[in-house]
Amino acid sequence: GDSVTQMEGPVTLSEEAFLTINCTYTATGYPSLFWYVQYPGEGLQLLLKATKADDKGSNKGFEATYRKETTSFHLEKGSVQVSDSAVYFCALGLYSSASKIIFGSGTRLSIRP
Amino acid sequence: EAGVAQSPRYKIIEKRQSVAFWCNPISGHATLYWYQQILGQGPKLLIQFQNNGVVDDSQLPKDRFSAERLKGVDSTLKIQPAKLEDSAVYLCASSSTRAGNTIYFGEGSWLTVV
């Protein structure tokens, strides 16, 4: 079935370090791919998305490229900040008669000053 | 544009009691979702509505959970009777084909069953 697998956390980095959070997916058809972020005590927010192969989504310094050949959508940021500490969810969206989104289990990121 | 509204934000109940959560989606969004997010896990879809019809409720524990969207706008999710393992955040979300099918989430209703 359709599913998303992302690297387990927690991930702890120092400020200004390079970040990669791996995400791979299994899906029939041609899904859209998303990264959502959840800050402590808040709801899910859409961070970025890509709707077709080779698209790059970007927002707030984060980037992810839709790689159909490796079924991956890894999240990257060149220089993380303390304010990036949150839980990050990779997700895939399926669209037939209506939208449906399936989430990975989440990766907790902690940034040390 | 107003986002997805949910209430209450926080609820503590004893096991075997009942609870109801309310959601008002973004105006004009035909699709409404209820997700359950247990601490440390990703959100799991409980039920999906398209207007006032159910699209997918395959993961809804129907012996204790129910949901309705009678007029195709706001929705209510009920749990009766609650169990300890129902402690979670209940997320409501909505989407529209006119808005590119992006799914927007509310802030969630945090349920603790003691």
Side-chain angles (χ1 to χ4, degrees):
Chain A
D2 304 310
S3 65
V4 175
T5 303
Q6 59 182 107
M7 68 188 280
E8 292 192 14
V11 174
T12 303
L13 297 172
S14 297
E15 204 166 20
E16 298 184 4
F18 183 86
L19 168 71
T20 300
I21 300 178
N22 290 337
C23 171
T24 57
Y25 68 90
T26 302
T28 53
Y30 303 95
S32 294
L33 299 173
F34 306 88
W35 278 99
Y36 281 82
V37 58
Q38 190 171 37
Y39 297 103
E42 298 185 16
L44 284 166
Q45 300 175 27
L46 178 64
L47 180 60
L48 55 84
K49 68 177 183 180
T51 58
K52 60 183 188 297
D54 299 326
D55 267 4
K56 177 185 284 188
S58 61
N59 186 24
K60 299 182 181 180
F62 290 90
E63 292 183 341
T65 301
Y66 189 143
R67 301 286 188 199
K68 189 161 183 267
E69 63 276 13
T70 55
T71 62
S72 65
F73 193 56
H74 304 322
L75 182 68
E76 296 182 336
K77 186 174 186 182
S79 176
V80 292
Q81 305 300 313
V82 172
S83 56
D84 294 326
S85 297
V87 182
Y88 292 81
F89 293 92
C90 185
L92 66 86
L94 302 167
Y95 308 108
S96 53
S97 56
S99 306
K100 180 177 181 177
I101 190 163
I102 297 170
F103 287 88
S105 57
T107 302
R108 180 174 299 278
L109 174 67
S110 296
I111 306 300
R112 293 188 299 254
Chain B
E1 180 183 77
V4 177
Q6 291 187 245
S7 67
R9 284 294 315 275
Y10 304 95
K11 191 76 176 178
I12 301 174
I13 62 172
E14 294 182 351
K15 59 183 179 184
R16 291 187 289 276
Q17 286 187 324
S18 63
V19 63
F21 301 113
W22 173 83
C23 172
N24 191 26
I26 293 172
S27 177
H29 281 198
T31 308
L32 185 148
Y33 313 78
W34 283 102
Y35 282 84
Q36 179 193 57
Q37 186 180 12
I38 293 172
L39 188 65
Q41 299 180 17
K44 180 184 82 172
L45 179 67
L46 292 176
I47 189 167
Q48 178 178 344
F49 292 95
Q50 183 73 13
N51 296 307
N52 60 351
V54 175
V55 174
D56 183 352
D57 64 356
S58 57
Q59 297 195 86
L60 186 74
K62 298 180 185 63
D63 57 335
R64 297 183 301 105
F65 285 64
S66 64
E68 59 184 16
R69 193 185 185 200
L70 292 176
K71 296 182 180 178
V73 180
D74 56 349
S75 175
T76 303
L77 175 71
K78 295 180 182 176
I79 307 173
Q80 183 179 13
K83 293 185 175 181
L84 296 177
E85 59 261 35
D86 298 332
S87 295
V89 180
Y90 291 87
L91 297 166
C92 182
S94 69
S95 69
S96 167
T97 53
R98 287 175 296 164
N101 285 316
T102 298
I103 298 177
Y104 297 91
F105 285 84
E107 292 189 324
S109 292
W110 299 64
L111 173 66
T112 301
V113 182
V114 297

